[in-house]
Amino acid sequence: MTRLLKTCFACGLATIVIAVVLPLATPAYAAKRVALVIGNNDYKSVPKLQKAVNDARAMGDALKQLGFNVMVAENLNRQQFSEALLTFDNTVEPGDTAFFFYAGHGFEIAGQNFLLPTDVPAATEGQEELVRDASVLADRIIERLQNKKARTSILVFDACRNNPFERPGTRAVAGGGGLAPMTQLPEGVFSVFSAGPRQTALDRLSNEDANPNSVFTRTFAKELVQPGLNMVQIAQRTRRLVSELAESVHHKQIPVYFDQMVDDVFLNGLAKGAPENAAPAAAQPKLAALPPVSVPRVPPANESLNAPIAMFSRNNGGWSITFSIVDPALGISWRLGDSGDFRETGFMDILDPRTRKRMPNFSIQLPADTPGGTLQVRYIDANGEMQGPFPIKFDPEAALIHDQRKILDMTSTSWLSFREFNGLLVYYTHLMSYRCAIRQVKIGIDTSMPDKLLTMPACNMKDPISIPSDASPYLKLPPSTKFVSVELTYRDGSVSEIKSFRR
């Protein structure tokens, strides 16, 4: 069976269209929703693609259903790419949800990801700077959205992992053969990749597969519009379905995502009080150019832009949950589930300068065995009026994985430690303590490519940080060992940067 592999990331501008729709699904926290969707097929000097433009159009349609103001751009050269990003910048305001989708060629150089416009020149060994100068740095897009103070930034890259500059009989530009993991994201950013490290993304499953979209985009676009799913659930479902489809043709493709969102972001949710059978907004005329977009947004009735969010942390005593509320609050109360009495959180011995009253306690504690459910949170605002209740989903397993993943990212210098005791030992106690967020640990002894699996005990949800008495948290190393490298595969399928630890 012949498989056609997608030759990487995508973008270009033979056509740029903008479709503006009024929000159908109310943003949970953002002022408005804006999206830039780019698909590049028609490359001049590197291999052309077949489905990137179709993928961009499919994603644009899905995002319109979710109430985004969408700009769809196709076959962009370097200048047009810059103009599209500038227009996107001008639409993003503080508090917005910003969505960026890119399908086409991408390339990694020295750990940085570059998106390739259609006029990127052919390059050979030693011409990495040529590629850098002619391309768009993916990290720069994140930085621009951070500068615009977007509350949530979602970036989706439908790309493969092979080198678009490879030519028979020549030495290619030195790069990672794909895109580097985005593990060090700023707060509020969520990124999704169509394939994992060193994997290729399938355009189609066989020659008989007539679907106009790539295997990843056809799946992701469908999951994106499913009601009641947050972004983590969408990414996890997409990963499972794409992996199963690829496995059906004996190919390995496991999408990965990197999550630094502070909110539990649900894109397909209706505003409080909005009718569930609301009719879709009429499609607006498509424009043939890309002028600055300035569309006044009329907030739906009963919309709250100040709904609380929650941060979950697991400790030996149970769950610590901290609420974040934009408004000054005179009191906070909560309950687990849709019935029963609300409990007051109490007060701290601190005066809130905004209200000149004691500041309410923003944290609550739950027992370790608390089942999943929905927290209902309400608060009294500075005018003495009750706001809420607001629903916050509590999924203990997902919250534990999310919390431990953040701890591992922040404490990467502690993953391994050396000790000399009857020989040379390397301890990985820290990794064992936060193993519930880890699927696999690989280390390399005096090599920068980890190739040895470490045995980890199973996650114990009842006591996740403790290390079983029969588990050995160290390895004995040859006395001549100079350094050990380590790579983590997280439970969500994403892969960490390779870290090196020297004696």
mmCIF file of all heavy atoms in Angstrom, residues 134-162:
data_model
loop_
_atom_site.group_PDB
_atom_site.id
_atom_site.type_symbol
_atom_site.label_atom_id
_atom_site.label_comp_id
_atom_site.label_asym_id
_atom_site.label_seq_id
_atom_site.Cartn_x
_atom_site.Cartn_y
_atom_site.Cartn_z
ATOM 1 N N ALA A 134 14.597 34.081 5.419
ATOM 2 C CA ALA A 134 13.476 34.034 4.479
ATOM 3 C C ALA A 134 12.210 33.458 5.096
ATOM 4 O O ALA A 134 11.186 33.365 4.418
ATOM 5 C CB ALA A 134 13.870 33.200 3.256
ATOM 6 N N SER A 135 12.256 33.082 6.370
ATOM 7 C CA SER A 135 11.136 32.381 7.000
ATOM 8 C C SER A 135 10.595 33.167 8.196
ATOM 9 O O SER A 135 11.110 34.226 8.552
ATOM 10 C CB SER A 135 11.582 30.983 7.429
ATOM 11 O OG SER A 135 12.100 30.260 6.333
ATOM 12 N N VAL A 136 9.572 32.593 8.822
ATOM 13 C CA VAL A 136 8.910 33.227 9.967
ATOM 14 C C VAL A 136 9.161 32.377 11.202
ATOM 15 O O VAL A 136 8.865 31.168 11.207
ATOM 16 C CB VAL A 136 7.396 33.368 9.719
ATOM 17 C CG1 VAL A 136 6.695 33.916 10.960
ATOM 18 C CG2 VAL A 136 7.132 34.269 8.518
ATOM 19 N N LEU A 137 9.711 32.972 12.227
ATOM 20 C CA LEU A 137 10.012 32.273 13.473
ATOM 21 C C LEU A 137 8.716 32.031 14.256
ATOM 22 O O LEU A 137 7.993 32.973 14.583
ATOM 23 C CB LEU A 137 10.994 33.092 14.309
ATOM 24 C CG LEU A 137 11.429 32.504 15.653
ATOM 25 C CD1 LEU A 137 12.158 31.189 15.471
ATOM 26 C CD2 LEU A 137 12.303 33.510 16.405
ATOM 27 N N ALA A 138 8.423 30.761 14.549
ATOM 28 C CA ALA A 138 7.178 30.429 15.250
ATOM 29 C C ALA A 138 7.120 31.067 16.630
ATOM 30 O O ALA A 138 6.064 31.539 17.067
ATOM 31 C CB ALA A 138 7.033 28.910 15.353
ATOM 32 N N ASP A 139 8.253 31.102 17.337
ATOM 33 C CA ASP A 139 8.269 31.706 18.674
ATOM 34 C C ASP A 139 7.904 33.194 18.633
ATOM 35 O O ASP A 139 7.359 33.731 19.599
ATOM 36 C CB ASP A 139 9.647 31.543 19.314
ATOM 37 C CG ASP A 139 9.917 30.121 19.767
ATOM 38 O OD1 ASP A 139 8.945 29.355 19.917
ATOM 39 O OD2 ASP A 139 11.089 29.766 19.962
ATOM 40 N N ARG A 140 8.222 33.831 17.506
ATOM 41 C CA ARG A 140 7.909 35.255 17.378
ATOM 42 C C ARG A 140 6.401 35.488 17.324
ATOM 43 O O ARG A 140 5.910 36.505 17.823
ATOM 44 C CB ARG A 140 8.590 35.813 16.117
ATOM 45 C CG ARG A 140 8.288 37.281 15.840
ATOM 46 C CD ARG A 140 8.725 38.187 16.954
ATOM 47 N NE ARG A 140 8.376 39.570 16.686
ATOM 48 C CZ ARG A 140 8.016 40.458 17.597
ATOM 49 N NH1 ARG A 140 7.981 40.104 18.881
ATOM 50 N NH2 ARG A 140 7.722 41.696 17.254
ATOM 51 N N ILE A 141 5.654 34.544 16.752
ATOM 52 C CA ILE A 141 4.195 34.666 16.728
ATOM 53 C C ILE A 141 3.650 34.620 18.149
ATOM 54 O O ILE A 141 2.774 35.407 18.528
ATOM 55 C CB ILE A 141 3.584 33.553 15.857
ATOM 56 C CG1 ILE A 141 4.083 33.680 14.414
ATOM 57 C CG2 ILE A 141 2.056 33.607 15.911
ATOM 58 C CD1 ILE A 141 3.671 32.530 13.519
ATOM 59 N N ILE A 142 4.188 33.696 18.954
ATOM 60 C CA ILE A 142 3.768 33.618 20.359
ATOM 61 C C ILE A 142 4.099 34.921 21.085
ATOM 62 O O ILE A 142 3.279 35.465 21.837
ATOM 63 C CB ILE A 142 4.445 32.426 21.048
ATOM 64 C CG1 ILE A 142 3.991 31.114 20.404
ATOM 65 C CG2 ILE A 142 4.153 32.416 22.546
ATOM 66 C CD1 ILE A 142 4.714 29.898 20.926
ATOM 67 N N GLU A 143 5.298 35.428 20.852
ATOM 68 C CA GLU A 143 5.728 36.670 21.506
ATOM 69 C C GLU A 143 4.795 37.831 21.132
ATOM 70 O O GLU A 143 4.437 38.643 21.989
ATOM 71 C CB GLU A 143 7.154 36.986 21.095
ATOM 72 C CG GLU A 143 7.738 38.240 21.742
ATOM 73 C CD GLU A 143 9.145 38.527 21.261
ATOM 74 O OE1 GLU A 143 9.822 37.605 20.757
ATOM 75 O OE2 GLU A 143 9.576 39.693 21.382
ATOM 76 N N ARG A 144 4.399 37.897 19.872
ATOM 77 C CA ARG A 144 3.514 38.979 19.436
ATOM 78 C C ARG A 144 2.155 38.884 20.124
ATOM 79 O O ARG A 144 1.581 39.901 20.532
ATOM 80 C CB ARG A 144 3.368 38.942 17.912
ATOM 81 C CG ARG A 144 4.650 39.326 17.196
ATOM 82 C CD ARG A 144 4.633 38.966 15.725
ATOM 83 N NE ARG A 144 3.761 39.842 14.946
ATOM 84 C CZ ARG A 144 3.978 40.136 13.679
ATOM 85 N NH1 ARG A 144 5.047 39.641 13.049
ATOM 86 N NH2 ARG A 144 3.150 40.920 13.015
ATOM 87 N N LEU A 145 1.629 37.677 20.251
ATOM 88 C CA LEU A 145 0.345 37.507 20.925
ATOM 89 C C LEU A 145 0.462 37.834 22.411
ATOM 90 O O LEU A 145 -0.477 38.378 23.010
ATOM 91 C CB LEU A 145 -0.168 36.079 20.728
ATOM 92 C CG LEU A 145 -0.547 35.717 19.288
ATOM 93 C CD1 LEU A 145 -0.921 34.242 19.184
ATOM 94 C CD2 LEU A 145 -1.702 36.587 18.798
ATOM 95 N N GLN A 146 1.607 37.504 23.011
ATOM 96 C CA GLN A 146 1.827 37.882 24.407
ATOM 97 C C GLN A 146 1.876 39.401 24.549
ATOM 98 O O GLN A 146 1.321 39.978 25.494
ATOM 99 C CB GLN A 146 3.142 37.274 24.905
ATOM 100 C CG GLN A 146 3.113 35.767 25.063
ATOM 101 C CD GLN A 146 2.308 35.329 26.270
ATOM 102 O OE1 GLN A 146 2.658 35.610 27.399
ATOM 103 N NE2 GLN A 146 1.206 34.648 26.033
ATOM 104 N N ASN A 147 2.529 40.072 23.602
ATOM 105 C CA ASN A 147 2.603 41.538 23.653
ATOM 106 C C ASN A 147 1.229 42.182 23.507
ATOM 107 O O ASN A 147 0.991 43.271 24.048
ATOM 108 C CB ASN A 147 3.537 42.055 22.552
ATOM 109 C CG ASN A 147 4.991 41.711 22.810
ATOM 110 O OD1 ASN A 147 5.376 41.408 23.938
ATOM 111 N ND2 ASN A 147 5.808 41.721 21.775
ATOM 112 N N LYS A 148 0.336 41.515 22.790
ATOM 113 C CA LYS A 148 -1.030 42.034 22.621
ATOM 114 C C LYS A 148 -1.908 41.668 23.808
ATOM 115 O O LYS A 148 -3.073 42.025 23.861
ATOM 116 C CB LYS A 148 -1.644 41.498 21.326
ATOM 117 C CG LYS A 148 -0.874 41.881 20.054
ATOM 118 C CD LYS A 148 -0.880 43.378 19.804
ATOM 119 C CE LYS A 148 -2.241 43.875 19.370
ATOM 120 N NZ LYS A 148 -2.211 45.290 18.943
ATOM 121 N N LYS A 149 -1.343 40.916 24.759
ATOM 122 C CA LYS A 149 -2.034 40.533 25.997
ATOM 123 C C LYS A 149 -3.267 39.659 25.737
ATOM 124 O O LYS A 149 -4.295 39.791 26.415
ATOM 125 C CB LYS A 149 -2.406 41.777 26.822
ATOM 126 C CG LYS A 149 -1.190 42.522 27.344
ATOM 127 C CD LYS A 149 -1.585 43.722 28.189
ATOM 128 C CE LYS A 149 -0.390 44.318 28.920
ATOM 129 N NZ LYS A 149 0.750 44.630 28.050
ATOM 130 N N ALA A 150 -3.159 38.771 24.745
ATOM 131 C CA ALA A 150 -4.215 37.779 24.559
ATOM 132 C C ALA A 150 -4.278 36.899 25.799
ATOM 133 O O ALA A 150 -3.247 36.479 26.324
ATOM 134 C CB ALA A 150 -3.932 36.936 23.326
ATOM 135 N N ARG A 151 -5.466 36.629 26.264
ATOM 136 C CA ARG A 151 -5.590 35.800 27.464
ATOM 137 C C ARG A 151 -5.232 34.346 27.161
ATOM 138 O O ARG A 151 -4.541 33.681 27.932
ATOM 139 C CB ARG A 151 -7.014 35.863 28.021
ATOM 140 C CG ARG A 151 -7.177 35.052 29.308
ATOM 141 C CD ARG A 151 -8.574 35.097 29.860
ATOM 142 N NE ARG A 151 -8.670 34.336 31.091
ATOM 143 C CZ ARG A 151 -8.531 34.852 32.306
ATOM 144 N NH1 ARG A 151 -8.276 36.131 32.451
ATOM 145 N NH2 ARG A 151 -8.636 34.091 33.379
ATOM 146 N N THR A 152 -5.716 33.846 26.017
ATOM 147 C CA THR A 152 -5.418 32.484 25.599
ATOM 148 C C THR A 152 -4.940 32.504 24.157
ATOM 149 O O THR A 152 -5.588 33.092 23.297
ATOM 150 C CB THR A 152 -6.661 31.582 25.714
ATOM 151 O OG1 THR A 152 -7.098 31.550 27.077
ATOM 152 C CG2 THR A 152 -6.342 30.164 25.259
ATOM 153 N N SER A 153 -3.804 31.871 23.886
ATOM 154 C CA SER A 153 -3.266 31.757 22.530
ATOM 155 C C SER A 153 -3.152 30.279 22.190
ATOM 156 O O SER A 153 -2.489 29.524 22.907
ATOM 157 C CB SER A 153 -1.890 32.419 22.426
ATOM 158 O OG SER A 153 -1.969 33.799 22.727
ATOM 159 N N ILE A 154 -3.822 29.869 21.115
ATOM 160 C CA ILE A 154 -3.818 28.481 20.674
ATOM 161 C C ILE A 154 -3.135 28.428 19.309
ATOM 162 O O ILE A 154 -3.548 29.116 18.378
ATOM 163 C CB ILE A 154 -5.241 27.920 20.577
ATOM 164 C CG1 ILE A 154 -5.949 28.029 21.943
ATOM 165 C CG2 ILE A 154 -5.227 26.467 20.107
ATOM 166 C CD1 ILE A 154 -7.438 27.774 21.893
ATOM 167 N N LEU A 155 -2.067 27.629 19.200
ATOM 168 C CA LEU A 155 -1.328 27.503 17.951
ATOM 169 C C LEU A 155 -1.325 26.048 17.521
ATOM 170 O O LEU A 155 -0.965 25.160 18.314
ATOM 171 C CB LEU A 155 0.102 28.005 18.109
ATOM 172 C CG LEU A 155 0.244 29.492 18.473
ATOM 173 C CD1 LEU A 155 0.373 29.653 19.998
ATOM 174 C CD2 LEU A 155 1.441 30.112 17.781
ATOM 175 N N VAL A 156 -1.740 25.815 16.274
ATOM 176 C CA VAL A 156 -1.856 24.454 15.757
ATOM 177 C C VAL A 156 -1.029 24.355 14.483
ATOM 178 O O VAL A 156 -1.209 25.156 13.556
ATOM 179 C CB VAL A 156 -3.321 24.081 15.475
ATOM 180 C CG1 VAL A 156 -3.409 22.651 14.947
ATOM 181 C CG2 VAL A 156 -4.170 24.232 16.730
ATOM 182 N N PHE A 157 -0.129 23.382 14.440
ATOM 183 C CA PHE A 157 0.762 23.204 13.301
ATOM 184 C C PHE A 157 0.532 21.819 12.693
ATOM 185 O O PHE A 157 0.837 20.805 13.336
ATOM 186 C CB PHE A 157 2.220 23.329 13.751
ATOM 187 C CG PHE A 157 2.524 24.618 14.462
ATOM 188 C CD1 PHE A 157 2.774 24.642 15.828
ATOM 189 C CD2 PHE A 157 2.548 25.815 13.770
ATOM 190 C CE1 PHE A 157 3.053 25.831 16.488
ATOM 191 C CE2 PHE A 157 2.832 27.009 14.418
ATOM 192 C CZ PHE A 157 3.078 27.022 15.777
ATOM 193 N N ASP A 158 -0.022 21.782 11.474
ATOM 194 C CA ASP A 158 -0.167 20.517 10.768
ATOM 195 C C ASP A 158 1.061 20.362 9.879
ATOM 196 O O ASP A 158 1.124 20.905 8.775
ATOM 197 C CB ASP A 158 -1.452 20.499 9.945
ATOM 198 C CG ASP A 158 -1.718 19.122 9.359
ATOM 199 O OD1 ASP A 158 -0.892 18.224 9.588
ATOM 200 O OD2 ASP A 158 -2.741 18.938 8.682
ATOM 201 N N ALA A 159 2.044 19.633 10.370
ATOM 202 C CA ALA A 159 3.317 19.552 9.673
ATOM 203 C C ALA A 159 3.898 18.165 9.833
ATOM 204 O O ALA A 159 3.510 17.398 10.706
ATOM 205 C CB ALA A 159 4.289 20.580 10.236
ATOM 206 N N CYS A 160 4.859 17.845 9.010
ATOM 207 C CA CYS A 160 5.554 16.573 9.134
ATOM 208 C C CYS A 160 6.921 16.811 9.759
ATOM 209 O O CYS A 160 7.231 17.900 10.216
ATOM 210 C CB CYS A 160 5.685 15.913 7.776
ATOM 211 S SG CYS A 160 6.851 16.754 6.723
ATOM 212 N N ARG A 161 7.766 15.784 9.700
ATOM 213 C CA ARG A 161 9.059 15.886 10.355
ATOM 214 C C ARG A 161 10.218 15.601 9.421
ATOM 215 O O ARG A 161 11.268 15.210 9.867
ATOM 216 C CB ARG A 161 9.092 14.913 11.529
ATOM 217 C CG ARG A 161 8.058 15.217 12.590
ATOM 218 C CD ARG A 161 8.506 16.321 13.506
ATOM 219 N NE ARG A 161 7.402 16.826 14.298
ATOM 220 C CZ ARG A 161 7.551 17.615 15.336
ATOM 221 N NH1 ARG A 161 8.730 18.007 15.711
ATOM 222 N NH2 ARG A 161 6.514 18.039 16.001
ATOM 223 N N ASN A 162 10.042 15.753 8.116
ATOM 224 C CA ASN A 162 11.190 15.526 7.237
ATOM 225 C C ASN A 162 11.682 16.832 6.633
ATOM 226 O O ASN A 162 11.027 17.868 6.740
ATOM 227 C CB ASN A 162 10.887 14.480 6.152
ATOM 228 C CG ASN A 162 9.546 14.702 5.493
ATOM 229 O OD1 ASN A 162 8.710 15.417 5.998
ATOM 230 N ND2 ASN A 162 9.339 14.055 4.368
#
